[in-house]
Amino acid sequence: MIARHSLFAASAFLAASCLTPASFAQERSAHEQQARDIYANVIAIRSARGQEKVPEVVDYLVGELKASGFSDDDLMVTDYDSKGEPTQGLVVWYRAEGEPAEKPIVLLAHMDVVDALAEDWVRDPFTLTEEEGYFFGRGTADNKYGLTNLVQTFIRLKEEGFEPTRDLVMVLSGDEETDMVSTRAQATYVAETIDPAFILNSDAGGLTLGTNGEPLDYGIQGAEKTYATWEITVTNPGGHSSTPRKDNAIYELASALKAIEAYDFPVRYSELTLASLEAAGRKRLDKLGLAMRAFAADPTDADAVATLRADPSLIGQTGTTCVATMLRAGHAENALPQSATATVNCRIFPGVTIEETEATLREVVGNEEVQFNLISDFPDSPESGMREDVLAAVKAALAERGVDVPIIPHMSAGGTDGMHYRNLGYDTYGVSASASKPNDTYAHGLNERVPVDSFYGGLDHWYVMLKTLAGPDA
Ligand SMILES: [Zn+2]
């Protein structure tokens, strides 16, 4: 659309040098502008815990969806009580014409964000700000980009008259970042009433860019580790510290913790983790890179295992990890402790259950006096096997962006809505449109941002994927 300016005006702009050439690209197509508007409007709503504003996001999205042709029958708003705070979920049906050719596809995003304090930010976190080639604001990455992307794609397809050959159901949760009450209920609802072929999540996966912004590979999140936390406690009659007894709650707990510290969980791997380590290993020439590839070639390679497990960022890719994170014990300096409690947090490898992990920990501790109390409330989350149709759809979406890079399934440390759907037996894939450099990830943190180019570059991602998976040629 630069052509609308006269040549003279264009060169005058350039000469003024206050505008970079990229600024000319700001004349956007109608759907790009619409996406930017939705993005700005949802970011402006502070839908964080304590603010009770998820319903405002729902209201806004319902209005936009209705304006584009979705009817009341296509929309379902549900109230949830997220541990004392009201929140909402929104389900949107884009129904197949006539008899659906295949089972539905469910699409996930969450409407809530981790809170942000304006005084800590350089720019107002709840105003979408475009600066230095980035969009800044809370949720620009997690997950209001995904939310915008899905909603805008539904609107765009509806306005274009697209008729899917199977039902597409967008399921938007309202407390993903905290208690996942809405997620759990929605996952159960999806299993009972929609029973989809599979689930696509906008809150994970995406393109990794190199330092110069060049695409390196595309990651599909096909698994996440199960999160589990135990309090382990030893109690004792106690007494006066001048008359110490042989058994002591603090000593016994300390021994239990030393046993957990010394224990290495068995090496675990899956096709998915081996593929992702092999791909990541190929990108680096150091000792770790060699170990990644050696492990991928032979997971019994003890040297490779030792090298990977010595690195905090990689140890979790080779098995379950458990670590002590908190401690409390005793009640007076001159009294024997009546109780001692430690908190142990585990990240469990897919395929191993929470119960099995507790049994292992009990065996490692080897002391019946040590009580285990599971205090977390997240489900086991098995791995999703890769599907050719999903891979093909991602490939088509990348091709539309002119990107031809390896597509690598990966396992993340855990924490998306997807785990609840995997727990119920549904294959779930994180296939976000996002593109980011490894050092650009500010999700949950200060000054969250996404590159402006990748915001617009990703707008066709879901459009192409949904047409591929639910179009007449699917
Ligand atoms: Zn998220």
Side-chain angles (χ1 to χ4, degrees):
M1 297 290 243
I2 285 176
R4 254 208 264 157
H5 297 294
S6 71
L7 249 182
F8 170 77
S11 44
F13 269 100
L14 276 175
S17 86
C18 58
L19 289 174
T20 61
S23 300
F24 287 104
Q26 279 173 355
E27 280 191 54
R28 300 289 182 181
S29 68
H31 79 264
E32 285 175 331
Q33 282 173 29
Q34 191 180 33
R36 191 194 196 279
D37 287 346
I38 294 172
Y39 196 44
N41 288 331
V42 291
I43 285 168
I45 303 170
R46 186 178 179 178
S47 52
R49 161 88 1 152
Q51 306 297 323
E52 304 188 5
K53 287 194 169 173
V54 170
E56 271 184 44
V57 179
V58 171
D59 269 1
Y60 168 71
L61 294 178
V62 164
E64 294 295 309
L65 287 158
K66 277 190 178 174
S68 74
F70 288 89
S71 72
D72 283 324
D73 287 349
D74 301 327
L75 300 161
M76 183 178 81
V77 178
T78 312
D79 291 308
Y80 298 105
D81 177 353
S82 180
K83 303 216 168 147
E85 175 160 342
T87 190
Q88 284 186 335
L90 174 61
V91 181
V92 187
W93 279 265
Y94 197 144
R95 296 179 208 275
E97 280 302 307
E99 193 58 31
E102 283 178 278
K103 280 182 161 190
I105 300 172
V106 161
L107 311 159
L108 304 180
H110 63 87
M111 300 178 285
D112 60 315
V113 290
V114 171
D115 206 6
L117 298 177
E119 54 270 32
D120 297 340
W121 281 51
V122 176
R123 305 158 193 85
D124 175 28
F126 301 103
T127 303
L128 180 70
T129 309
E130 186 175 342
E131 237 176 81
E132 301 160 7
Y134 285 94
F135 281 125
F136 290 89
R138 170 56 87 231
T140 45
D142 184 14
N143 175 226
K144 285 178 172 171
Y145 181 49
L147 178 66
T148 298
N149 235 313
L150 290 184
V151 170
Q152 203 272 332
T153 301
F154 263 38
I155 290 173
R156 183 176 167 197
L157 290 169
K158 194 68 145 186
E159 287 176 348
E160 289 178 5
F162 173 69
E163 294 179 350
T165 53
R166 64 204 299 183
D167 287 357
L168 301 171
V169 188
M170 182 160 62
V171 178
L172 309 176
S173 63
D175 62 341
E176 190 267 356
E177 297 288 6
T178 52
D179 291 306
M180 295 186 163
V181 170
S182 58
T183 313
R184 277 167 230 263
Q186 287 176 327
T188 305
Y189 176 83
V190 163
E192 286 169 359
T193 63
I194 297 171
D195 189 31
F198 56 86
I199 290 162
L200 302 177
N201 187 357
S202 70
D203 195 24
L207 270 175
T208 303
L209 306 176
T211 40
N212 298 319
E214 72 284 12
L216 297 180
D217 53 49
Y218 183 90
I220 296 186
Q221 187 225 50
E224 37 194 323
K225 293 183 92 176
T226 303
Y227 182 107
T229 302
W230 283 269
E231 280 189 346
I232 65 171
T233 299
V234 181
T235 54
N236 189 280
H240 201 284
S241 63
S242 65
T243 56
R245 38 191 294 150
K246 271 291 159 207
D247 54 349
N248 176 300
I250 290 178
Y251 292 152
E252 282 181 63
L253 181 70
S255 298
L257 293 176
K258 293 300 284 181
I260 292 171
E261 180 193 9
Y263 180 68
D264 288 322
F265 279 83
V267 172
R268 306 267 318 187
Y269 55 89
S270 65
E271 232 177 279
L272 180 150
T273 57
L274 294 184
S276 83
L277 283 170
E278 154 67 23
R282 247 182 289 138
K283 282 187 284 186
R284 50 195 295 172
L285 299 168
D286 58 356
K287 202 171 144 217
L288 274 179
L290 290 174
M292 289 180 200
R293 298 185 66 184
F295 181 79
D298 174 13
T300 67
D301 182 330
D303 289 342
V305 170
T307 304
L308 296 179
R309 291 198 160 186
D311 186 277
S313 68
L314 289 166
I315 180 170
Q317 292 292 320
T318 65
T320 296
T321 61
C322 290
V323 64
T325 54
M326 293 165 79
L327 196 57
R328 64 174 191 272
H331 57 282
E333 67 178 81
N334 57 358
L336 298 175
Q338 289 170 1
S339 118
T341 298
T343 305
V344 175
N345 176 247
C346 298
R347 306 301 172 110
I348 302 168
F349 204 90
V352 184
T353 65
I354 294 172
E355 281 105 84
E356 286 163 347
T357 306
E358 180 173 320
T360 302
L361 286 174
R362 284 176 181 274
E363 203 179 301
V364 165
V365 166
N367 179 351
E368 297 281 305
E369 301 297 312
V370 179
Q371 302 148 34
F372 280 75
N373 181 24
L374 180 69
I375 59 167
S376 57
D377 183 24
F378 293 109
D380 295 318
S381 171
E383 178 179 322
S384 302
M386 275 303 137
R387 289 178 61 107
E388 285 306 319
D389 51 356
V390 172
L391 280 170
V394 170
K395 221 176 167 104
L398 293 174
E400 183 75 18
R401 290 161 93 164
V403 172
D404 180 17
V405 292
I407 298 172
I408 302 161
H410 69 89
M411 172 178 76
S412 62
T416 70
D417 282 340
M419 70 170 115
H420 296 277
Y421 294 87
R422 288 199 186 99
N423 176 257
L424 294 174
Y426 291 97
D427 285 336
T428 303
Y429 306 98
V431 287
S432 152
S434 73
S436 57
K437 299 176 191 173
N439 57 357
D440 264 355
T441 46
Y442 291 82
H444 298 193
L446 280 178
N447 305 318
E448 184 177 349
R449 62 190 191 176
V450 302
V452 172
D453 287 349
S454 54
F455 173 86
Y456 290 111
L459 288 186
D460 288 344
H461 183 81
W462 290 95
Y463 179 81
V464 173
M465 275 202 303
L466 296 187
K467 281 193 152 182
T468 307
L469 289 163
D473 307 324

